[in-house]
Coordinates of all heavy atoms in Angstrom, one line a residue:
N1 N 0.8 -1.2 0.0 CA 0.0 0.0 0.0 C 0.9 1.2 0.0 O 1.2 1.8 1.1 CB -0.9 0.0 1.2 CG -2.1 0.9 1.1 OD1 -2.5 1.3 0.0 ND2 -2.7 1.2 2.1
I2 N 1.3 1.7 -1.2 CA 2.3 2.8 -1.3 C 1.6 4.0 -1.9 O 1.0 4.0 -2.9 CB 3.4 2.4 -2.3 CG1 4.1 1.2 -1.7 CG2 4.3 3.5 -2.6 CD1 5.1 0.5 -2.7
F3 N 1.8 5.1 -1.0 CA 1.3 6.4 -1.5 C 2.4 7.3 -2.0 O 2.2 8.1 -2.9 CB 0.5 7.1 -0.4 CG -0.7 6.4 0.2 CD1 -0.7 5.6 1.3 CD2 -1.9 6.3 -0.6 CE1 -1.8 4.9 1.8 CE2 -3.0 5.6 -0.2 CZ -3.0 4.9 1.0
S4 N 3.5 7.2 -1.4 CA 4.6 8.1 -1.8 C 6.0 7.3 -1.4 O 6.0 6.6 -0.4 CB 4.5 9.4 -1.1 OG 4.7 9.3 0.3
I5 N 6.9 7.6 -2.2 CA 8.2 7.1 -2.0 C 9.2 8.3 -2.2 O 9.2 9.0 -3.2 CB 8.7 6.0 -2.9 CG1 7.8 4.8 -2.8 CG2 10.1 5.6 -2.6 CD1 8.1 3.7 -3.8
Y6 N 10.0 8.6 -1.1 CA 10.9 9.7 -1.3 C 12.2 9.2 -1.8 O 12.4 8.8 -2.9 CB 11.1 10.5 0.0 CG 12.0 11.7 -0.1 CD1 11.8 12.6 -1.0 CD2 13.2 11.8 0.7 CE1 12.7 13.7 -1.2 CE2 14.0 12.8 0.5 CZ 13.8 13.8 -0.4 OH 14.6 14.8 -0.6
N7 N 13.2 8.9 -0.9 CA 14.5 8.4 -1.4 C 14.4 6.9 -1.5 O 13.7 6.2 -0.8 CB 15.5 8.8 -0.5 CG 15.3 8.2 1.0 OD1 14.4 8.7 1.6 ND2 16.1 7.3 1.4
M8 N 15.3 6.4 -2.4 CA 15.5 4.9 -2.4 C 17.1 4.8 -2.4 O 17.7 5.4 -3.2 CB 14.9 4.3 -3.6 CG 13.4 4.4 -3.7 SD 12.6 3.4 -5.0 CE 12.5 1.8 -4.2
D9 N 17.5 4.0 -1.6 CA 19.0 3.9 -1.3 C 19.5 2.5 -1.4 O 18.7 1.5 -1.1 CB 19.3 4.4 0.1 CG 18.8 5.8 0.4 OD1 18.6 6.6 -0.4 OD2 18.4 5.9 1.6
W10 N 20.8 2.4 -1.6 CA 21.5 1.1 -1.5 C 22.6 1.3 -0.4 O 23.4 2.2 -0.5 CB 22.2 0.7 -2.8 CG 21.2 0.2 -3.8 CD1 20.7 0.9 -4.9 CD2 20.6 -1.1 -3.8 NE1 19.8 0.1 -5.6 CE2 19.7 -1.1 -5.0 CE3 20.7 -2.2 -3.1 CZ2 19.0 -2.3 -5.4 CZ3 20.0 -3.4 -3.5 CH2 19.1 -3.4 -4.6
Y11 N 22.5 0.3 0.5 CA 23.6 0.2 1.5 C 24.3 -1.1 1.3 O 23.8 -2.0 0.6 CB 23.0 0.2 3.0 CG 22.5 1.5 3.5 CD1 21.2 2.1 3.0 CD2 23.1 2.2 4.4 CE1 20.8 3.2 3.4 CE2 22.7 3.4 5.0 CZ 21.5 4.0 4.4 OH 21.0 5.1 5.0
R12 N 25.5 -1.2 2.0 CA 26.1 -2.6 2.0 C 26.9 -2.7 3.3 O 27.2 -1.7 4.0 CB 27.1 -2.6 0.8 CG 28.4 -1.7 1.0 CD 29.2 -1.8 -0.3 NE 30.4 -0.9 -0.3 CZ 31.2 -0.7 -1.3 NH1 31.0 -1.4 -2.4 NH2 32.2 0.1 -1.2
Q13 N 27.0 -4.0 3.7 CA 27.7 -4.3 4.9 C 28.6 -5.5 4.6 O 28.2 -6.6 4.3 CB 26.7 -4.7 6.0 CG 27.3 -4.9 7.4 CD 26.4 -4.8 8.5 OE1 25.2 -5.0 8.3 NE2 26.9 -4.6 9.7
A14 N 29.9 -5.2 4.8 CA 30.9 -6.2 4.6 C 31.2 -6.9 6.0 O 30.9 -6.3 7.0 CB 32.2 -5.6 4.1
P15 N 31.7 -8.2 5.9 CA 32.0 -8.8 7.3 C 32.8 -8.0 8.2 O 33.9 -7.5 7.7 CB 32.7 -10.1 6.8 CG 32.2 -10.3 5.4 CD 32.0 -8.9 4.8
G16 N 32.4 -7.9 9.4 CA 33.2 -7.2 10.4 C 33.2 -5.6 10.2 O 33.9 -4.9 10.9
K17 N 32.4 -5.1 9.3 CA 32.3 -3.6 9.1 C 30.9 -3.2 9.3 O 29.9 -3.9 9.3 CB 32.8 -3.3 7.7 CG 34.2 -3.6 7.5 CD 34.7 -3.0 6.1 CE 36.2 -3.3 5.9 NZ 36.6 -2.7 4.6
Q18 N 30.8 -1.8 9.5 CA 29.6 -1.2 9.7 C 28.8 -1.1 8.3 O 29.5 -1.0 7.3 CB 29.7 0.2 10.3 CG 30.1 0.2 11.8 CD 30.0 1.6 12.4 OE1 30.2 2.6 11.8 NE2 29.7 1.6 13.7
R19 N 27.5 -1.0 8.4 CA 26.7 -0.8 7.2 C 27.0 0.6 6.6 O 27.1 1.5 7.5 CB 25.3 -1.0 7.5 CG 24.4 -1.1 6.3 CD 22.9 -1.5 6.6 NE 22.9 -2.8 7.2 CZ 21.7 -3.5 7.4 NH1 20.6 -2.9 7.1 NH2 21.7 -4.7 8.0
E20 N 27.2 0.7 5.3 CA 27.5 2.0 4.8 C 26.6 2.3 3.6 O 26.1 1.5 2.9 CB 28.9 2.2 4.3 CG 29.3 1.3 3.1 CD 30.7 1.6 2.5 OE1 31.2 2.7 2.8 OE2 31.1 0.8 1.6
L21 N 26.2 3.7 3.5 CA 25.5 4.1 2.4 C 26.3 4.1 1.1 O 27.3 4.8 1.1 CB 24.9 5.5 2.7 CG 24.0 6.1 1.6 CD1 22.8 5.3 1.3 CD2 23.6 7.5 2.0
V22 N 25.8 3.5 0.1 CA 26.5 3.4 -1.2 C 26.0 4.4 -2.2 O 26.8 5.1 -2.8 CB 26.4 1.9 -1.8 CG1 27.1 1.9 -3.1 CG2 27.0 0.9 -0.8
A23 N 24.7 4.4 -2.4 CA 24.1 5.3 -3.3 C 22.7 5.7 -2.9 O 22.0 4.9 -2.3 CB 24.1 4.7 -4.7
T24 N 22.3 6.8 -3.3 CA 20.9 7.3 -3.0 C 20.3 8.0 -4.3 O 21.0 8.6 -5.0 CB 20.9 8.2 -1.8 OG1 19.5 8.4 -1.5 CG2 21.6 9.5 -2.0
I25 N 19.1 7.9 -4.4 CA 18.3 8.7 -5.4 C 17.0 9.1 -4.8 O 16.3 8.3 -4.2 CB 18.1 7.8 -6.7 CG1 17.4 8.6 -7.8 CG2 17.3 6.5 -6.4 CD1 17.5 7.9 -9.2
T26 N 16.8 10.5 -5.0 CA 15.6 11.0 -4.4 C 14.4 10.9 -5.4 O 14.5 10.4 -6.5 CB 15.7 12.5 -4.1 OG1 15.8 13.2 -5.4 CG2 17.0 12.7 -3.3
N27 N 13.2 11.3 -5.0 CA 12.0 11.3 -5.8 C 12.2 12.2 -7.0 O 11.4 12.1 -8.0 CB 10.8 11.6 -5.0 CG 10.8 13.0 -4.4 OD1 11.9 13.5 -4.0 ND2 9.7 13.6 -4.2

């Protein structure tokens, strides 16, 4: 049930590392 989507992002998490933001695209 989707009315609006603002940003859509890709994150990644390598073993032993924190999750990081890789790329983002806004509406």
Side-chain angles (χ1 to χ4, degrees):
N1 200 16
I2 296 171
F3 297 104
S4 66
I5 302 178
Y6 182 56
N7 60 296
M8 298 189 84
D9 309 325
W10 286 99
Y11 285 76
R12 67 185 178 187
Q13 188 165 19
K17 294 190 176 181
Q18 288 190 331
R19 192 172 296 189
E20 68 168 347
L21 177 60
V22 176
T24 186
I25 185 166
T26 72
N27 60 332

